[in-house]
Amino acid sequence: MKKSTLILWTFIPILTGYLVNSLLRVPVLGEIFFYVLTVATTAFWFWMGRQFEKSTFKTIPAILIGNATGIISLLIYLWQFLLVASENRSVFLAGFSQMYNASVPGYLFGGIARLFETEPNYVGTRTLVALHVICEIYMIIVFVIGMVVEKRI
């Protein structure tokens, strides 16, 4: 597969995240798509890891390039929510930076992310930042597992 095609496909989680956020407004179906699309994105990301392993990219550049959209999304999120005051925050960048994360089954990691708060059962900035970081690590792990499986086949 062409390198340019692989790089374009790294934007699929952002598009899926936008779709998930849009479909959440639809009663009943939105919730079904929330679960189905996030699991499907995980399966797709595993497949992407396999495709990057087949490509001519070396291992470390493949991991970095394959996960660049997620890493950039995370950096924009951290910048907008930790370094910029609320009144100066760009609504577009703040919203865009959360689309990648919306395509990940973050509901699996909510309990872990809440451990970063000082108060029990409170969801604040620390929880949301931790969830974003955990979801990115999850996607990198899924990608690498795909690469390892392809290497062993």
Side-chain angles (χ1 to χ4, degrees):
M1 187 174 299
K2 285 183 167 182
K3 287 183 178 182
S4 58
T5 304
L6 285 175
I7 292 169
L8 281 175
W9 282 16
T10 63
F11 289 92
I12 294 292
I14 293 172
L15 298 172
T16 306
Y18 178 78
L19 188 61
V20 166
N21 278 337
S22 299
L23 290 174
L24 278 175
R25 297 182 192 121
V26 179
V28 182
L29 286 177
E31 192 172 331
I32 292 168
F33 280 112
F34 173 72
Y35 291 106
V36 171
L37 287 175
T38 55
V39 172
T41 303
T42 298
F44 172 76
W45 213 240
F46 174 82
W47 180 81
M48 281 292 289
R50 292 185 66 191
Q51 299 311 305
F52 267 83
E53 182 60 36
K54 290 178 188 177
S55 73
T56 57
F57 286 117
K58 301 234 185 266
T59 303
I60 299 299
I63 294 169
L64 292 174
I65 293 168
N67 290 285
T69 53
I71 294 167
I72 292 168
S73 173
L74 175 62
L75 292 174
I76 292 171
Y77 180 85
L78 295 174
W79 168 48
Q80 286 294 302
F81 287 93
L82 296 181
L83 301 176
V84 176
S86 295
E87 59 273 3
N88 297 330
R89 191 173 295 148
S90 165
V91 175
F92 173 77
L93 287 177
F96 176 77
S97 68
Q98 296 177 60
M99 292 303 148
Y100 184 89
N101 198 36
S103 69
V104 179
Y107 50 83
L108 298 174
F109 311 113
I112 297 169
R114 274 197 323 268
L115 295 175
F116 290 88
E117 287 293 345
T118 54
E119 299 175 33
N121 296 324
Y122 175 73
V123 176
T125 303
R126 288 180 187 174
T127 304
L128 298 175
V129 168
L131 185 60
H132 209 96
V133 171
I134 290 167
C135 286
E136 180 55 35
I137 292 169
Y138 168 80
M139 290 295 271
I140 292 171
I141 290 170
V142 168
F143 190 88
V144 169
I145 290 172
M147 291 181 76
V148 169
V149 166
E150 184 60 36
K151 188 176 274 190
R152 296 198 187 259
I153 292 179

